[in-house]
Amino acid sequence: MGRAPCCDKANVKKGPWSPEEDTKLKAYIEQNGTGGNWIALPQKIGLKRCGKSCRLRWLNYLRPNIKHGGFSEEEDNIICSLYISIGSRWSIIAAQLPGRTDNDIKNYWNTRLKKKLLGKQRKEQQARRAAVKQEMKTESESFAVPGVLNLETPYWPELPAVIPPIYSSQEPSIMDQEYIRSLLIKLGGRFSDELEESNISSSKYTLDGSCSTRDHQLYANSVDILSSAATPLNSIDSKSSQLHNAIYNSAESSLSMFGGLSTVELEELAYRTPELEGLESFYGMDMANSSSAGASTTTESTSWGNTSSMVYPQLTSELETCFQSVPQDSFFTDSMYFGPQ
DNA sequence: AAGCACGGCAACCGCTCCCGT
DNA sequence: GACGGGAGCGGTTGCCGTGCT
């Protein structure tokens, strides 16, 4: 049985809003507020609109202090950083950019930033392929083994034992542990003093009971879990290794953070090495280089930055499942690595 | 000048989550 | 605990403006 529609579709106007409708809605909300009931609002003010449509119009257009267009370089960086870290959680990203709406950011990402990112990757990929081809040509002249490597065939790079970070600890990043921490606090989370006092982990936090949104809880979980995932392999016990397995098994699905890309774009991604080439354009060459180094062996993982930079909600949910099966305290030991070196 | 293709953006749709009963 | 309704979110669609042929 399907659920009842939120409004009478037949008697509801769709499409662009007229200035009169805007004026009515704006005047009413400024005077009376939304009343906590968007569904009833259009009837109160005599608008033939769906309540959801009114809400959207208000939030994305009529609300005071809304900025449209003209995204700055800094805003670009924030959007990219957060997207790479948390995926398409536009409302969360928008919360970090005053005056910006989730819809605006979503549109901006889809129309500009995604292409900007891919364009850079494309250029670098071509340069790399040319270099590799040249190298192979040189080598084949002295030692030719037919059929060993076909440069025309895309390959999926072998996944590392654990996922490398894309951030360097050398300069502050929006996704530094401290940043996430402050972000969560700002969003309503609270770091647990008791846990800090009990020396379980300096980075372990909980959200207080009044925090009710799913995102707060999700980030509470994901930061916990992924902070744990940054633990050096040589310092974790067998239970914790389940977590690393979960990360490994989810690495492929984490590529879905590029969901919405065309087949061609995905094919290009297939050529990419795990360190997310091209991102140096946002984070600087040093960061990209350091992540490559981190990917070289698992035992070198102690130098990694923040693994949460590779998170995607799908991954998070799988990690949560894993997390539930393991006593939490086992993840929060003094030997853990959290954040900058 | 007309037709076409493409990009940007506002708005809609459908789903999930939260909360009250 | 189950259920239903509303809010919020992310993905998608479709219109409109602009640039190219």
Side-chain angles (χ1 to χ4, degrees), chain A residues 14-15 52-53 56-57 107 111-112 212 214:
Chain A
K14 287 187 189 177
K52 291 171 81 170
S53 180
L56 210 62
R57 186 65 180 170
N107 284 334
T111 57
R112 312 268 184 87
S212 61
R214 63 189 165 126

PDB file of all heavy atoms in Angstrom, chain A residues 14-15 52-53 56-57 107 111-112 212 214, chain B residues 8 10-19:
ATOM      1  N   LYS A  14       2.491  23.747 -10.434  1.00  0.00           N
ATOM      2  CA  LYS A  14       3.891  23.340 -10.530  1.00  0.00           C
ATOM      3  C   LYS A  14       4.663  24.356 -11.371  1.00  0.00           C
ATOM      4  O   LYS A  14       4.079  25.245 -11.954  1.00  0.00           O
ATOM      5  CB  LYS A  14       3.993  21.966 -11.198  1.00  0.00           C
ATOM      6  CG  LYS A  14       3.557  20.809 -10.327  1.00  0.00           C
ATOM      7  CD  LYS A  14       3.884  19.539 -11.074  1.00  0.00           C
ATOM      8  CE  LYS A  14       3.305  18.322 -10.414  1.00  0.00           C
ATOM      9  NZ  LYS A  14       3.584  17.125 -11.218  1.00  0.00           N
ATOM     10  N   GLY A  15       5.933  24.169 -11.449  1.00  0.00           N
ATOM     11  CA  GLY A  15       6.766  25.022 -12.286  1.00  0.00           C
ATOM     12  C   GLY A  15       7.238  26.272 -11.575  1.00  0.00           C
ATOM     13  O   GLY A  15       7.124  26.377 -10.350  1.00  0.00           O
ATOM     14  N   LYS A  52       5.773  21.173   0.271  1.00  0.00           N
ATOM     15  CA  LYS A  52       7.201  20.892   0.041  1.00  0.00           C
ATOM     16  C   LYS A  52       7.794  21.914  -0.921  1.00  0.00           C
ATOM     17  O   LYS A  52       8.941  22.324  -0.788  1.00  0.00           O
ATOM     18  CB  LYS A  52       7.366  19.476  -0.525  1.00  0.00           C
ATOM     19  CG  LYS A  52       7.032  18.401   0.462  1.00  0.00           C
ATOM     20  CD  LYS A  52       6.999  17.038  -0.195  1.00  0.00           C
ATOM     21  CE  LYS A  52       8.385  16.458  -0.349  1.00  0.00           C
ATOM     22  NZ  LYS A  52       8.328  15.048  -0.767  1.00  0.00           N
ATOM     23  N   SER A  53       6.981  22.282  -1.886  1.00  0.00           N
ATOM     24  CA  SER A  53       7.438  23.259  -2.866  1.00  0.00           C
ATOM     25  C   SER A  53       7.677  24.609  -2.187  1.00  0.00           C
ATOM     26  O   SER A  53       8.661  25.305  -2.479  1.00  0.00           O
ATOM     27  CB  SER A  53       6.396  23.391  -3.976  1.00  0.00           C
ATOM     28  OG  SER A  53       6.812  24.325  -4.936  1.00  0.00           O
ATOM     29  N   LEU A  56      10.887  24.466  -0.187  1.00  0.00           N
ATOM     30  CA  LEU A  56      12.046  24.527  -1.073  1.00  0.00           C
ATOM     31  C   LEU A  56      12.278  25.953  -1.576  1.00  0.00           C
ATOM     32  O   LEU A  56      13.405  26.446  -1.616  1.00  0.00           O
ATOM     33  CB  LEU A  56      11.805  23.586  -2.254  1.00  0.00           C
ATOM     34  CG  LEU A  56      13.027  22.950  -2.879  1.00  0.00           C
ATOM     35  CD1 LEU A  56      13.747  22.088  -1.870  1.00  0.00           C
ATOM     36  CD2 LEU A  56      12.610  22.116  -4.087  1.00  0.00           C
ATOM     37  N   ARG A  57      11.186  26.588  -1.947  1.00  0.00           N
ATOM     38  CA  ARG A  57      11.286  27.943  -2.455  1.00  0.00           C
ATOM     39  C   ARG A  57      11.843  28.888  -1.391  1.00  0.00           C
ATOM     40  O   ARG A  57      12.681  29.746  -1.658  1.00  0.00           O
ATOM     41  CB  ARG A  57       9.909  28.418  -2.913  1.00  0.00           C
ATOM     42  CG  ARG A  57       9.907  29.777  -3.591  1.00  0.00           C
ATOM     43  CD  ARG A  57      10.676  29.757  -4.899  1.00  0.00           C
ATOM     44  NE  ARG A  57      10.690  31.056  -5.568  1.00  0.00           N
ATOM     45  CZ  ARG A  57      11.427  31.359  -6.617  1.00  0.00           C
ATOM     46  NH1 ARG A  57      12.214  30.442  -7.144  1.00  0.00           N
ATOM     47  NH2 ARG A  57      11.388  32.553  -7.159  1.00  0.00           N
ATOM     48  N   ASN A 107      24.173  21.831  -7.470  1.00  0.00           N
ATOM     49  CA  ASN A 107      24.218  22.249  -8.865  1.00  0.00           C
ATOM     50  C   ASN A 107      25.628  22.684  -9.263  1.00  0.00           C
ATOM     51  O   ASN A 107      26.104  22.360 -10.346  1.00  0.00           O
ATOM     52  CB  ASN A 107      23.246  23.397  -9.111  1.00  0.00           C
ATOM     53  CG  ASN A 107      21.809  22.934  -9.173  1.00  0.00           C
ATOM     54  OD1 ASN A 107      21.529  21.779  -9.504  1.00  0.00           O
ATOM     55  ND2 ASN A 107      20.885  23.796  -8.820  1.00  0.00           N
ATOM     56  N   THR A 111      27.752  20.901 -12.180  1.00  0.00           N
ATOM     57  CA  THR A 111      27.987  21.610 -13.437  1.00  0.00           C
ATOM     58  C   THR A 111      29.419  22.118 -13.587  1.00  0.00           C
ATOM     59  O   THR A 111      29.893  22.286 -14.701  1.00  0.00           O
ATOM     60  CB  THR A 111      27.026  22.798 -13.576  1.00  0.00           C
ATOM     61  OG1 THR A 111      27.197  23.662 -12.453  1.00  0.00           O
ATOM     62  CG2 THR A 111      25.599  22.329 -13.660  1.00  0.00           C
ATOM     63  N   ARG A 112      30.085  22.406 -12.471  1.00  0.00           N
ATOM     64  CA  ARG A 112      31.410  23.018 -12.586  1.00  0.00           C
ATOM     65  C   ARG A 112      32.519  22.175 -11.955  1.00  0.00           C
ATOM     66  O   ARG A 112      33.461  21.777 -12.629  1.00  0.00           O
ATOM     67  CB  ARG A 112      31.420  24.391 -11.915  1.00  0.00           C
ATOM     68  CG  ARG A 112      30.261  25.275 -12.296  1.00  0.00           C
ATOM     69  CD  ARG A 112      30.616  26.141 -13.485  1.00  0.00           C
ATOM     70  NE  ARG A 112      29.525  27.060 -13.788  1.00  0.00           N
ATOM     71  CZ  ARG A 112      29.380  28.246 -13.221  1.00  0.00           C
ATOM     72  NH1 ARG A 112      30.257  28.662 -12.328  1.00  0.00           N
ATOM     73  NH2 ARG A 112      28.374  29.030 -13.547  1.00  0.00           N
ATOM     74  N   SER A 212      19.687  14.763  17.637  1.00  0.00           N
ATOM     75  CA  SER A 212      18.770  13.774  17.096  1.00  0.00           C
ATOM     76  C   SER A 212      18.905  13.523  15.609  1.00  0.00           C
ATOM     77  O   SER A 212      18.318  12.605  15.090  1.00  0.00           O
ATOM     78  CB  SER A 212      17.341  14.223  17.371  1.00  0.00           C
ATOM     79  OG  SER A 212      17.115  15.456  16.744  1.00  0.00           O
ATOM     80  N   ARG A 214      20.155  12.267  12.028  1.00  0.00           N
ATOM     81  CA  ARG A 214      20.891  11.076  11.604  1.00  0.00           C
ATOM     82  C   ARG A 214      22.301  11.421  11.191  1.00  0.00           C
ATOM     83  O   ARG A 214      23.223  10.646  11.342  1.00  0.00           O
ATOM     84  CB  ARG A 214      20.170  10.394  10.441  1.00  0.00           C
ATOM     85  CG  ARG A 214      20.086  11.247   9.208  1.00  0.00           C
ATOM     86  CD  ARG A 214      19.186  10.626   8.175  1.00  0.00           C
ATOM     87  NE  ARG A 214      18.838  11.597   7.158  1.00  0.00           N
ATOM     88  CZ  ARG A 214      19.005  11.424   5.873  1.00  0.00           C
ATOM     89  NH1 ARG A 214      19.530  10.311   5.443  1.00  0.00           N
ATOM     90  NH2 ARG A 214      18.655  12.314   5.009  1.00  0.00           N
TER      91      ARG A 214
ATOM     92  P    DG B   8      28.054  24.971 -16.866  1.00  0.00           P
ATOM     93  OP1  DG B   8      29.205  25.826 -16.495  1.00  0.00           O
ATOM     94  OP2  DG B   8      28.003  23.552 -16.477  1.00  0.00           O
ATOM     95  O5'  DG B   8      26.733  25.681 -16.327  1.00  0.00           O
ATOM     96  C5'  DG B   8      26.400  26.979 -16.807  1.00  0.00           C
ATOM     97  C4'  DG B   8      25.138  27.462 -16.124  1.00  0.00           C
ATOM     98  O4'  DG B   8      23.987  26.808 -16.719  1.00  0.00           O
ATOM     99  C3'  DG B   8      25.067  27.174 -14.631  1.00  0.00           C
ATOM    100  O3'  DG B   8      24.584  28.341 -13.986  1.00  0.00           O
ATOM    101  C2'  DG B   8      24.102  26.002 -14.518  1.00  0.00           C
ATOM    102  C1'  DG B   8      23.185  26.218 -15.722  1.00  0.00           C
ATOM    103  N9   DG B   8      22.620  25.011 -16.309  1.00  0.00           N
ATOM    104  C8   DG B   8      23.267  23.835 -16.582  1.00  0.00           C
ATOM    105  N7   DG B   8      22.499  22.922 -17.136  1.00  0.00           N
ATOM    106  C5   DG B   8      21.271  23.549 -17.237  1.00  0.00           C
ATOM    107  C6   DG B   8      20.046  23.066 -17.766  1.00  0.00           C
ATOM    108  O6   DG B   8      19.800  21.963 -18.253  1.00  0.00           O
ATOM    109  N1   DG B   8      19.036  24.019 -17.697  1.00  0.00           N
ATOM    110  C2   DG B   8      19.193  25.288 -17.168  1.00  0.00           C
ATOM    111  N2   DG B   8      18.115  26.073 -17.170  1.00  0.00           N
ATOM    112  N3   DG B   8      20.336  25.753 -16.665  1.00  0.00           N
ATOM    113  C4   DG B   8      21.324  24.829 -16.739  1.00  0.00           C
ATOM    114  P    DA B  10      18.768  29.095  -9.390  1.00  0.00           P
ATOM    115  OP1  DA B  10      18.996  30.543  -9.262  1.00  0.00           O
ATOM    116  OP2  DA B  10      19.407  28.153  -8.448  1.00  0.00           O
ATOM    117  O5'  DA B  10      17.193  28.845  -9.390  1.00  0.00           O
ATOM    118  C5'  DA B  10      16.425  29.271 -10.518  1.00  0.00           C
ATOM    119  C4'  DA B  10      15.232  28.351 -10.692  1.00  0.00           C
ATOM    120  O4'  DA B  10      15.671  27.065 -11.176  1.00  0.00           O
ATOM    121  C3'  DA B  10      14.447  28.088  -9.422  1.00  0.00           C
ATOM    122  O3'  DA B  10      13.066  28.216  -9.710  1.00  0.00           O
ATOM    123  C2'  DA B  10      14.833  26.656  -9.028  1.00  0.00           C
ATOM    124  C1'  DA B  10      15.150  26.027 -10.376  1.00  0.00           C
ATOM    125  N9   DA B  10      16.163  24.967 -10.363  1.00  0.00           N
ATOM    126  C8   DA B  10      17.379  24.999  -9.742  1.00  0.00           C
ATOM    127  N7   DA B  10      18.096  23.911  -9.930  1.00  0.00           N
ATOM    128  C5   DA B  10      17.296  23.124 -10.727  1.00  0.00           C
ATOM    129  C6   DA B  10      17.490  21.843 -11.289  1.00  0.00           C
ATOM    130  N6   DA B  10      18.591  21.116 -11.104  1.00  0.00           N
ATOM    131  N1   DA B  10      16.493  21.341 -12.044  1.00  0.00           N
ATOM    132  C2   DA B  10      15.383  22.071 -12.224  1.00  0.00           C
ATOM    133  N3   DA B  10      15.086  23.287 -11.759  1.00  0.00           N
ATOM    134  C4   DA B  10      16.101  23.757 -11.008  1.00  0.00           C
ATOM    135  P    DA B  11      12.007  28.141  -8.571  1.00  0.00           P
ATOM    136  OP1  DA B  11      10.905  29.042  -8.963  1.00  0.00           O
ATOM    137  OP2  DA B  11      12.664  28.286  -7.260  1.00  0.00           O
ATOM    138  O5'  DA B  11      11.503  26.642  -8.712  1.00  0.00           O
ATOM    139  C5'  DA B  11      11.017  26.192  -9.968  1.00  0.00           C
ATOM    140  C4'  DA B  11      10.823  24.695  -9.924  1.00  0.00           C
ATOM    141  O4'  DA B  11      12.111  24.042  -9.895  1.00  0.00           O
ATOM    142  C3'  DA B  11      10.047  24.167  -8.716  1.00  0.00           C
ATOM    143  O3'  DA B  11       8.844  23.579  -9.180  1.00  0.00           O
ATOM    144  C2'  DA B  11      10.993  23.151  -8.062  1.00  0.00           C
ATOM    145  C1'  DA B  11      11.986  22.852  -9.179  1.00  0.00           C
ATOM    146  N9   DA B  11      13.331  22.470  -8.737  1.00  0.00           N
ATOM    147  C8   DA B  11      14.158  23.177  -7.904  1.00  0.00           C
ATOM    148  N7   DA B  11      15.320  22.588  -7.697  1.00  0.00           N
ATOM    149  C5   DA B  11      15.246  21.425  -8.440  1.00  0.00           C
ATOM    150  C6   DA B  11      16.152  20.369  -8.639  1.00  0.00           C
ATOM    151  N6   DA B  11      17.352  20.326  -8.084  1.00  0.00           N
ATOM    152  N1   DA B  11      15.766  19.359  -9.452  1.00  0.00           N
ATOM    153  C2   DA B  11      14.546  19.411 -10.014  1.00  0.00           C
ATOM    154  N3   DA B  11      13.606  20.353  -9.906  1.00  0.00           N
ATOM    155  C4   DA B  11      14.022  21.337  -9.089  1.00  0.00           C
ATOM    156  P    DC B  12       7.842  22.872  -8.228  1.00  0.00           P
ATOM    157  OP1  DC B  12       6.480  23.201  -8.715  1.00  0.00           O
ATOM    158  OP2  DC B  12       8.214  23.121  -6.827  1.00  0.00           O
ATOM    159  O5'  DC B  12       8.125  21.337  -8.559  1.00  0.00           O
ATOM    160  C5'  DC B  12       8.198  20.923  -9.915  1.00  0.00           C
ATOM    161  C4'  DC B  12       8.555  19.447  -9.994  1.00  0.00           C
ATOM    162  O4'  DC B  12       9.935  19.266  -9.641  1.00  0.00           O
ATOM    163  C3'  DC B  12       7.738  18.555  -9.062  1.00  0.00           C
ATOM    164  O3'  DC B  12       7.304  17.409  -9.795  1.00  0.00           O
ATOM    165  C2'  DC B  12       8.722  18.179  -7.952  1.00  0.00           C
ATOM    166  C1'  DC B  12      10.058  18.243  -8.663  1.00  0.00           C
ATOM    167  N1   DC B  12      11.228  18.585  -7.810  1.00  0.00           N
ATOM    168  C2   DC B  12      12.356  17.750  -7.790  1.00  0.00           C
ATOM    169  O2   DC B  12      12.350  16.722  -8.476  1.00  0.00           O
ATOM    170  N3   DC B  12      13.408  18.096  -7.011  1.00  0.00           N
ATOM    171  C4   DC B  12      13.374  19.210  -6.293  1.00  0.00           C
ATOM    172  N4   DC B  12      14.439  19.507  -5.552  1.00  0.00           N
ATOM    173  C5   DC B  12      12.242  20.074  -6.299  1.00  0.00           C
ATOM    174  C6   DC B  12      11.199  19.731  -7.066  1.00  0.00           C
ATOM    175  P    DC B  13       6.319  16.361  -9.179  1.00  0.00           P
ATOM    176  OP1  DC B  13       5.417  15.896 -10.259  1.00  0.00           O
ATOM    177  OP2  DC B  13       5.757  16.912  -7.931  1.00  0.00           O
ATOM    178  O5'  DC B  13       7.312  15.184  -8.795  1.00  0.00           O
ATOM    179  C5'  DC B  13       8.225  14.700  -9.779  1.00  0.00           C
ATOM    180  C4'  DC B  13       8.996  13.519  -9.217  1.00  0.00           C
ATOM    181  O4'  DC B  13      10.101  14.006  -8.425  1.00  0.00           O
ATOM    182  C3'  DC B  13       8.177  12.594  -8.325  1.00  0.00           C
ATOM    183  O3'  DC B  13       8.457  11.259  -8.669  1.00  0.00           O
ATOM    184  C2'  DC B  13       8.644  12.937  -6.911  1.00  0.00           C
ATOM    185  C1'  DC B  13      10.067  13.411  -7.136  1.00  0.00           C
ATOM    186  N1   DC B  13      10.580  14.452  -6.190  1.00  0.00           N
ATOM    187  C2   DC B  13      11.860  14.321  -5.641  1.00  0.00           C
ATOM    188  O2   DC B  13      12.533  13.336  -5.934  1.00  0.00           O
ATOM    189  N3   DC B  13      12.307  15.284  -4.799  1.00  0.00           N
ATOM    190  C4   DC B  13      11.544  16.330  -4.515  1.00  0.00           C
ATOM    191  N4   DC B  13      12.035  17.254  -3.683  1.00  0.00           N
ATOM    192  C5   DC B  13      10.245  16.488  -5.056  1.00  0.00           C
ATOM    193  C6   DC B  13       9.805  15.532  -5.889  1.00  0.00           C
ATOM    194  P    DG B  14       7.484  10.084  -8.157  1.00  0.00           P
ATOM    195  OP1  DG B  14       7.217   9.185  -9.296  1.00  0.00           O
ATOM    196  OP2  DG B  14       6.359  10.665  -7.379  1.00  0.00           O
ATOM    197  O5'  DG B  14       8.439   9.335  -7.138  1.00  0.00           O
ATOM    198  C5'  DG B  14       9.767   9.019  -7.548  1.00  0.00           C
ATOM    199  C4'  DG B  14      10.619   8.684  -6.330  1.00  0.00           C
ATOM    200  O4'  DG B  14      10.970   9.900  -5.628  1.00  0.00           O
ATOM    201  C3'  DG B  14       9.922   7.791  -5.303  1.00  0.00           C
ATOM    202  O3'  DG B  14      10.870   6.856  -4.833  1.00  0.00           O
ATOM    203  C2'  DG B  14       9.517   8.767  -4.203  1.00  0.00           C
ATOM    204  C1'  DG B  14      10.700   9.732  -4.260  1.00  0.00           C
ATOM    205  N9   DG B  14      10.464  11.047  -3.682  1.00  0.00           N
ATOM    206  C8   DG B  14       9.317  11.801  -3.729  1.00  0.00           C
ATOM    207  N7   DG B  14       9.421  12.952  -3.117  1.00  0.00           N
ATOM    208  C5   DG B  14      10.715  12.969  -2.636  1.00  0.00           C
ATOM    209  C6   DG B  14      11.403  13.945  -1.890  1.00  0.00           C
ATOM    210  O6   DG B  14      10.988  15.041  -1.485  1.00  0.00           O
ATOM    211  N1   DG B  14      12.707  13.552  -1.602  1.00  0.00           N
ATOM    212  C2   DG B  14      13.272  12.366  -1.997  1.00  0.00           C
ATOM    213  N2   DG B  14      14.543  12.156  -1.622  1.00  0.00           N
ATOM    214  N3   DG B  14      12.642  11.429  -2.700  1.00  0.00           N
ATOM    215  C4   DG B  14      11.371  11.800  -2.985  1.00  0.00           C
ATOM    216  P    DC B  15      10.356   5.505  -4.195  1.00  0.00           P
ATOM    217  OP1  DC B  15      10.606   4.423  -5.159  1.00  0.00           O
ATOM    218  OP2  DC B  15       9.006   5.683  -3.590  1.00  0.00           O
ATOM    219  O5'  DC B  15      11.388   5.361  -2.991  1.00  0.00           O
ATOM    220  C5'  DC B  15      12.778   5.654  -3.209  1.00  0.00           C
ATOM    221  C4'  DC B  15      13.361   6.309  -1.988  1.00  0.00           C
ATOM    222  O4'  DC B  15      12.836   7.647  -1.875  1.00  0.00           O
ATOM    223  C3'  DC B  15      13.026   5.622  -0.675  1.00  0.00           C
ATOM    224  O3'  DC B  15      14.156   4.898  -0.206  1.00  0.00           O
ATOM    225  C2'  DC B  15      12.656   6.757   0.276  1.00  0.00           C
ATOM    226  C1'  DC B  15      12.913   8.018  -0.508  1.00  0.00           C
ATOM    227  N1   DC B  15      11.912   9.103  -0.281  1.00  0.00           N
ATOM    228  C2   DC B  15      12.298  10.238   0.440  1.00  0.00           C
ATOM    229  O2   DC B  15      13.461  10.313   0.869  1.00  0.00           O
ATOM    230  N3   DC B  15      11.386  11.212   0.661  1.00  0.00           N
ATOM    231  C4   DC B  15      10.149  11.081   0.188  1.00  0.00           C
ATOM    232  N4   DC B  15       9.292  12.085   0.420  1.00  0.00           N
ATOM    233  C5   DC B  15       9.738   9.932  -0.555  1.00  0.00           C
ATOM    234  C6   DC B  15      10.647   8.963  -0.756  1.00  0.00           C
ATOM    235  P    DT B  16      13.964   3.985   1.087  1.00  0.00           P
ATOM    236  OP1  DT B  16      14.923   2.877   0.939  1.00  0.00           O
ATOM    237  OP2  DT B  16      12.546   3.725   1.372  1.00  0.00           O
ATOM    238  O5'  DT B  16      14.503   4.971   2.231  1.00  0.00           O
ATOM    239  C5'  DT B  16      15.741   5.646   2.037  1.00  0.00           C
ATOM    240  C4'  DT B  16      16.003   6.564   3.223  1.00  0.00           C
ATOM    241  O4'  DT B  16      15.082   7.684   3.173  1.00  0.00           O
ATOM    242  C3'  DT B  16      15.801   5.899   4.583  1.00  0.00           C
ATOM    243  O3'  DT B  16      16.910   6.235   5.412  1.00  0.00           O
ATOM    244  C2'  DT B  16      14.483   6.477   5.094  1.00  0.00           C
ATOM    245  C1'  DT B  16      14.453   7.850   4.427  1.00  0.00           C
ATOM    246  N1   DT B  16      13.095   8.398   4.159  1.00  0.00           N
ATOM    247  C2   DT B  16      12.810   9.702   4.549  1.00  0.00           C
ATOM    248  O2   DT B  16      13.612  10.419   5.117  1.00  0.00           O
ATOM    249  N3   DT B  16      11.539  10.124   4.245  1.00  0.00           N
ATOM    250  C4   DT B  16      10.557   9.404   3.610  1.00  0.00           C
ATOM    251  O4   DT B  16       9.452   9.901   3.384  1.00  0.00           O
ATOM    252  C5   DT B  16      10.920   8.054   3.227  1.00  0.00           C
ATOM    253  C7   DT B  16       9.912   7.195   2.531  1.00  0.00           C
ATOM    254  C6   DT B  16      12.151   7.631   3.515  1.00  0.00           C
ATOM    255  P    DC B  17      17.020   5.611   6.841  1.00  0.00           P
ATOM    256  OP1  DC B  17      18.456   5.308   7.045  1.00  0.00           O
ATOM    257  OP2  DC B  17      15.990   4.554   7.019  1.00  0.00           O
ATOM    258  O5'  DC B  17      16.634   6.837   7.790  1.00  0.00           O
ATOM    259  C5'  DC B  17      17.245   8.100   7.549  1.00  0.00           C
ATOM    260  C4'  DC B  17      16.607   9.158   8.426  1.00  0.00           C
ATOM    261  O4'  DC B  17      15.298   9.505   7.908  1.00  0.00           O
ATOM    262  C3'  DC B  17      16.394   8.720   9.879  1.00  0.00           C
ATOM    263  O3'  DC B  17      16.870   9.746  10.736  1.00  0.00           O
ATOM    264  C2'  DC B  17      14.888   8.519   9.984  1.00  0.00           C
ATOM    265  C1'  DC B  17      14.345   9.502   8.944  1.00  0.00           C
ATOM    266  N1   DC B  17      13.045   9.134   8.345  1.00  0.00           N
ATOM    267  C2   DC B  17      12.028  10.088   8.242  1.00  0.00           C
ATOM    268  O2   DC B  17      12.224  11.229   8.666  1.00  0.00           O
ATOM    269  N3   DC B  17      10.846   9.733   7.679  1.00  0.00           N
ATOM    270  C4   DC B  17      10.664   8.493   7.229  1.00  0.00           C
ATOM    271  N4   DC B  17       9.477   8.194   6.682  1.00  0.00           N
ATOM    272  C5   DC B  17      11.693   7.500   7.323  1.00  0.00           C
ATOM    273  C6   DC B  17      12.852   7.861   7.880  1.00  0.00           C
ATOM    274  P    DC B  18      16.963   9.512  12.277  1.00  0.00           P
ATOM    275  OP1  DC B  18      18.236  10.104  12.721  1.00  0.00           O
ATOM    276  OP2  DC B  18      16.625   8.104  12.593  1.00  0.00           O
ATOM    277  O5'  DC B  18      15.779  10.433  12.818  1.00  0.00           O
ATOM    278  C5'  DC B  18      15.643  11.757  12.306  1.00  0.00           C
ATOM    279  C4'  DC B  18      14.355  12.364  12.822  1.00  0.00           C
ATOM    280  O4'  DC B  18      13.242  11.857  12.053  1.00  0.00           O
ATOM    281  C3'  DC B  18      14.064  12.050  14.289  1.00  0.00           C
ATOM    282  O3'  DC B  18      13.714  13.250  14.934  1.00  0.00           O
ATOM    283  C2'  DC B  18      12.918  11.049  14.224  1.00  0.00           C
ATOM    284  C1'  DC B  18      12.217  11.440  12.926  1.00  0.00           C
ATOM    285  N1   DC B  18      11.497  10.351  12.228  1.00  0.00           N
ATOM    286  C2   DC B  18      10.191  10.597  11.753  1.00  0.00           C
ATOM    287  O2   DC B  18       9.678  11.694  11.932  1.00  0.00           O
ATOM    288  N3   DC B  18       9.535   9.594  11.104  1.00  0.00           N
ATOM    289  C4   DC B  18      10.128   8.415  10.920  1.00  0.00           C
ATOM    290  N4   DC B  18       9.452   7.473  10.271  1.00  0.00           N
ATOM    291  C5   DC B  18      11.454   8.157  11.386  1.00  0.00           C
ATOM    292  C6   DC B  18      12.094   9.147  12.037  1.00  0.00           C
ATOM    293  P    DC B  19      13.645  13.342  16.505  1.00  0.00           P
ATOM    294  OP1  DC B  19      14.365  14.573  16.894  1.00  0.00           O
ATOM    295  OP2  DC B  19      14.013  12.034  17.089  1.00  0.00           O
ATOM    296  O5'  DC B  19      12.083  13.572  16.752  1.00  0.00           O
ATOM    297  C5'  DC B  19      11.348  14.422  15.866  1.00  0.00           C
ATOM    298  C4'  DC B  19       9.873  14.177  16.053  1.00  0.00           C
ATOM    299  O4'  DC B  19       9.460  13.037  15.237  1.00  0.00           O
ATOM    300  C3'  DC B  19       9.463  13.835  17.491  1.00  0.00           C
ATOM    301  O3'  DC B  19       8.301  14.567  17.817  1.00  0.00           O
ATOM    302  C2'  DC B  19       9.186  12.337  17.448  1.00  0.00           C
ATOM    303  C1'  DC B  19       8.658  12.187  16.020  1.00  0.00           C
ATOM    304  N1   DC B  19       8.764  10.821  15.444  1.00  0.00           N
ATOM    305  C2   DC B  19       7.715  10.344  14.645  1.00  0.00           C
ATOM    306  O2   DC B  19       6.737  11.077  14.446  1.00  0.00           O
ATOM    307  N3   DC B  19       7.809   9.096  14.115  1.00  0.00           N
ATOM    308  C4   DC B  19       8.884   8.351  14.368  1.00  0.00           C
ATOM    309  N4   DC B  19       8.928   7.135  13.823  1.00  0.00           N
ATOM    310  C5   DC B  19       9.969   8.820  15.174  1.00  0.00           C
ATOM    311  C6   DC B  19       9.863  10.054  15.691  1.00  0.00           C
TER     312       DC B  19
END
